[in-house]
Amino acid sequence: MYRFSPPRLIWLPVFVSTACAAIVAAQRHRTEAANKAVHLVADFADVRSLAAGEGVTPKQALIRLQRAGLTAVAVSEDTFGDLLVLGRLVPTARPVNSHGDGQLFVCPDTALADRIRRAVEARFPKWDAEEPAPAVVLGPDGKPTRLPGTPSDLAKYGIGLDAEVCGLIQRLGLQVVARVWNPPGATERLARAAILDAERNGAVGVIFNGDQTLGWRDSVREVAKILRLTGDESRSQPPMWYGTVEFTQQAGDNIYKEVMRPHVLRVHSILSAEMDRMSPGEAAERFVLAATDRNVRVCYLRPPSPTSVEPVKAFARFVWEVKSRLRAEGYEAKQARPFEEVDASIAARYGVVLGASCFVAWFSMALLRGLLWTLASWLVVFVAAGLAVAGNDPRPLALLAALAFPTWAMVALYALARHGGSRAWWVLYLLICGVSVVGGLHVAALLSELPYMLQMKQFMGVKLAHFLPPAAVAIYFVAEERRLSAALGAPVRWGAFLLMVVATGALGYMLIRTGNEAPSQVSGFELRLRSLLDHLLPARPRTKEFLIGHPALVLGLSMLGRGDRRLLPLIGGVAAIGQVSIVNTFAHLHTPIATSAVRVLLGMLLGIMLGMVLRWIWARYFREEQKSLL
């Protein structure tokens, strides 16, 4: 180990920082374990449609869904476009009057006519009621409401939630979630009226419709502050929560999450077109995984079989299945609440910063060597540590730790095996994976704050953290086995070249697949494999750990134990993939840390089992043939 054996001056802060990281992880686990209530929400428009299809009233449908486990109902504010489509505004052919006003629309509902009147007064303050109106709405009481445009022109403008519908939902013991559109030219006054209307109708949370949040662009931050000011502190009534829908790109979402923190809930939904292609069991599994693996606390449910003979009954069965599966995982279908900040001490966080900084600085100095590299390394680490402490941005230091720990584990402990260390291969396997787990705990401790758990901020350099350590390990092993210049100038052997092409392609494919935003890259076979593992195991290990990296690590350590080093750079680089994946697993801050730990441990177990199979196959069939290959 000589060159890569840390001195005692480094071991001490690393031991301290590891203990501090464990303390932060334990506190984060307590925070996550204390919040296992999940809202099951249905859209009222879906409920109304299903009720009509089965020949029952919306009230009867809601009662059946509530008994099945539904906890809340999403109600969209009515728009002028909705009123026209539903026939709640009836156009007439007769003129309004002789003052130049436009078409007359009749509203037969007194409450609706009052809502339209209040909405026009609140949301169009610059409208001059003395000017000729493009359209006029006449209620049953005979009072006209003069509109600044025709209902078609104002189709995207809301007039608030239906108070009667919201009242029905609350009387049945369900909660109201407001769905609000962002109309063209949404002024701060218009947005305030929409938010206060939702609060007045008893909404406990808001999920915005479409691809924009309310008040997008110039007024988004001010509108978010209006939402934050809802509630009543004197009665311990929190503000309405903001629902951020995962895997979508709503404009203004990050600003709302920043302003509304910590009153933010992650929402998962499945589009109706996707639901049509999935069985109810598959859809239920997806919602449960969202809650257990990604800290989602609002499941926005869609009907699985809108064309069935009894659509309400089918939807109720689906709600019950989601509720039952959640309960089996230790979660409850009831009123959800936002996550709290991780209450870790400042001393523990600073301890992690100190240990990670010392280790990264020492390892970079040991790996690169030379006065210039030493000064540059210490400068980079000093800046990263300063940002973590003074700038409240631990991401640069977390990235450096994610690069350093798995790389050191591979080059140091591989060196021990290569130089005839007395430890068995399985001991070295556990040590290497253990170092990566320690690195993952450091990264998780540095980033265990609510903005990262809500994905307001994310771990930076994910692809770099996946690519650089395997590449560095492979290059280092080439340089150790023979001079790098000699290796580059050596004749090309086709066997080694083909193996390198395969390894490079696998690494490139892994980089493309890295992250949550590339689901289209997952093959159908892998999706079925994931589903099987989800059913069989408490937490599904990551594919590149137990199928690629860990088996390669077992094979490489076994070969080194027998003095066989001819494929060391290739196998070492592939094995490093599993180690960087371990660290990256802990860097998924929206996943409960207990789930990440179980996932890593299961990956290590399955990886060593598959590695033993690979080790036997290699010893049985390829130990001699590799000589002719290379």
Side-chain angles (χ1 to χ4, degrees):
M1 293 257 287
Y2 56 99
R3 175 178 168 188
F4 293 113
S5 296
R8 293 180 180 177
L9 189 62
I10 298 299
W11 278 123
L12 179 60
V14 171
F15 280 138
V16 172
S17 65
T18 302
C20 292
I23 292 172
V24 176
Q27 184 58 49
R28 179 178 150 200
H29 171 65
R30 283 193 290 269
T31 300
E32 292 169 334
N35 187 354
K36 292 198 171 184
V38 181
H39 255 321
L40 300 186
V41 183
D43 194 292
F44 183 73
D46 290 338
V47 174
R48 186 169 51 195
S49 176
L50 296 179
E54 194 165 319
V56 299
T57 65
K59 178 180 179 180
Q60 292 172 317
L62 287 172
I63 291 174
R64 290 164 65 177
L65 293 171
Q66 192 267 347
R67 290 174 177 171
L70 197 71
T71 62
V73 180
V75 182
S76 294
E77 62 172 349
D78 294 321
T79 64
F80 283 100
D82 295 332
L83 301 182
L84 286 175
V85 171
L86 297 174
R88 303 182 73 184
L89 278 184
V90 182
T92 66
R94 63 188 179 89
V96 178
N97 50 44
S98 59
H99 301 298
D101 289 332
Q103 188 175 12
L104 175 66
F105 290 80
V106 175
C107 178
D109 187 331
T110 302
L112 179 59
D114 289 339
R115 264 207 297 156
I116 294 174
R117 186 177 302 112
R118 290 195 303 268
V120 171
E121 293 173 355
R123 306 184 186 202
F124 303 104
K126 295 183 179 180
W127 162 238
D128 186 355
E130 300 300 324
E131 293 292 329
V136 176
V137 175
L138 190 65
D141 56 3
K143 293 181 180 180
T145 300
R146 307 171 75 248
L147 304 181
T150 66
S152 296
D153 298 331
L154 304 176
K156 294 184 179 180
Y157 285 85
I159 62 168
L161 305 182
D162 190 322
E164 184 178 345
V165 170
C166 294
L168 170 64
I169 292 169
Q170 293 174 85
R171 287 193 299 273
L172 294 177
L174 298 167
Q175 292 191 323
V176 176
V177 176
R179 300 298 309 273
V180 180
W181 291 93
N182 186 46
T187 63
E188 185 178 332
R189 177 163 179 169
L190 185 150
R192 182 187 299 275
I195 291 173
L196 295 182
D197 174 81
E199 183 182 26
R200 184 168 53 249
N201 282 284
V204 298
V206 175
I207 303 174
F208 293 119
N209 277 313
D211 59 359
Q212 296 180 357
T213 56
L214 184 60
W216 170 232
R217 297 208 183 272
D218 295 340
S219 59
V220 60
R221 188 172 295 275
E222 295 304 316
V223 176
K225 291 179 181 178
I226 296 172
L227 182 59
R228 178 62 186 261
L229 293 175
T230 56
D232 189 343
E233 291 185 5
S234 63
R235 294 187 296 174
S236 299
Q237 181 180 341
M240 289 189 290
W241 49 260
Y242 166 67
T244 174
V245 185
E246 64 173 359
F247 307 134
T248 63
Q249 300 292 331
Q250 271 190 321
D253 176 65
N254 280 336
I255 296 177
Y256 267 88
K257 287 190 289 190
E258 175 187 344
V259 174
M260 289 299 297
R261 169 186 167 192
H263 306 287
V264 179
L265 292 178
R266 287 167 55 80
V267 181
H268 183 74
S269 181
I270 303 177
L271 298 176
S272 298
E274 290 184 87
M275 289 291 293
D276 291 341
R277 298 192 297 268
M278 303 172 70
S279 69
E282 291 172 334
E285 178 185 4
R286 179 163 154 178
F287 281 112
V288 173
L289 285 176
T292 59
D293 281 16
R294 300 192 299 278
N295 280 333
V296 164
R297 290 298 176 264
V298 178
C299 293
Y300 202 100
L301 307 180
R302 296 287 187 181
S305 303
T307 58
S308 64
V309 178
E310 297 178 301
V312 176
K313 184 177 181 180
F315 194 17
R317 279 200 303 265
F318 177 63
V319 173
W320 177 263
E321 183 170 4
V322 175
K323 174 187 175 181
S324 300
R325 293 195 182 198
L326 283 171
R327 181 173 294 173
E329 297 292 336
Y331 292 74
E332 287 294 329
K334 60 182 181 181
Q335 177 182 350
R337 59 185 178 85
F339 281 99
E340 299 176 353
E341 297 278 0
V342 177
D343 187 21
S345 67
I346 298 297
R349 294 189 184 276
Y350 283 1
V352 176
V353 172
L354 175 63
S357 302
C358 291
F359 180 80
V360 170
W362 166 80
F363 177 62
S364 59
M365 183 174 60
L367 181 65
L368 300 174
R369 291 190 288 194
L371 179 61
L372 182 61
W373 284 111
T374 299
L375 293 176
S377 301
W378 279 94
L379 177 62
V380 170
V381 173
F382 178 79
V383 172
L387 287 174
V389 174
N392 196 28
D393 188 359
R395 289 177 293 179
L397 183 58
L399 174 60
L400 294 176
L403 296 173
F405 277 96
T407 306
W408 177 78
M410 290 296 301
V411 299
L413 297 176
Y414 251 62
L416 183 63
R418 188 169 71 250
H419 291 287
S422 59
R423 293 178 177 84
W425 64 266
W426 60 269
V427 175
L428 293 175
Y429 173 85
L430 294 177
L431 288 174
I432 291 174
C433 292
V435 171
S436 297
V437 169
V438 169
L441 286 176
H442 278 75
V443 172
L446 287 169
L447 302 179
S448 285
E449 298 176 355
L450 199 56
Y452 299 97
M453 295 168 66
L454 296 176
Q455 288 194 306
M456 293 165 49
K457 298 179 181 179
Q458 296 190 40
F459 174 56
M460 61 186 295
V462 173
K463 292 188 182 296
L464 181 64
H466 273 80
F467 171 77
L468 195 55
V473 168
I475 292 173
Y476 174 78
F477 286 156
V478 169
E480 283 289 296
E481 292 301 306
R482 52 198 299 189
R483 293 187 61 85
L484 189 59
S485 57
L488 293 175
V492 175
R493 292 182 172 88
W494 285 107
F497 176 75
L498 291 175
L499 285 174
M500 189 61 66
V501 168
V502 171
T504 304
L507 183 59
Y509 179 70
M510 180 195 71
L511 289 175
I512 295 174
R513 286 276 316 282
T514 298
N516 293 326
E517 302 302 326
S520 61
Q521 306 296 331
V522 183
S523 66
F525 169 76
E526 186 172 348
L527 287 176
R528 290 190 292 272
L529 177 62
R530 289 182 177 186
S531 179
L532 177 62
L533 293 175
D534 284 327
H535 280 95
L536 297 178
L537 301 174
R540 174 178 53 82
R542 305 188 77 185
T543 306
K544 47 183 167 281
E545 291 176 29
F546 80 92
L547 274 183
I548 300 175
H550 295 344
L553 179 58
V554 171
L555 176 63
L557 291 173
S558 301
M559 292 172 64
L560 284 177
R562 296 192 298 266
D564 188 349
R565 304 202 299 260
R566 279 165 293 188
L567 294 178
L568 178 61
L570 177 62
I571 296 179
V574 174
I577 292 175
Q579 303 310 304
V580 298
S581 180
I582 287 177
V583 177
N584 186 256
T585 297
F586 285 100
H588 284 67
L589 277 302
H590 57 280
T591 299
I593 194 165
T595 301
S596 297
V598 173
R599 178 170 291 163
V600 166
L601 292 176
L602 288 174
M604 291 171 55
L605 178 61
L606 291 178
I608 199 171
M609 294 170 62
L610 292 176
M612 292 177 68
V613 174
L614 181 62
R615 178 172 175 261
W616 178 83
I617 293 174
W618 184 270
R620 178 70 175 82
Y621 296 102
F622 296 103
R623 193 171 179 180
E624 297 298 328
E625 285 77 354
Q626 62 173 320
K627 297 179 181 179
S628 60
L629 179 66
L630 299 178

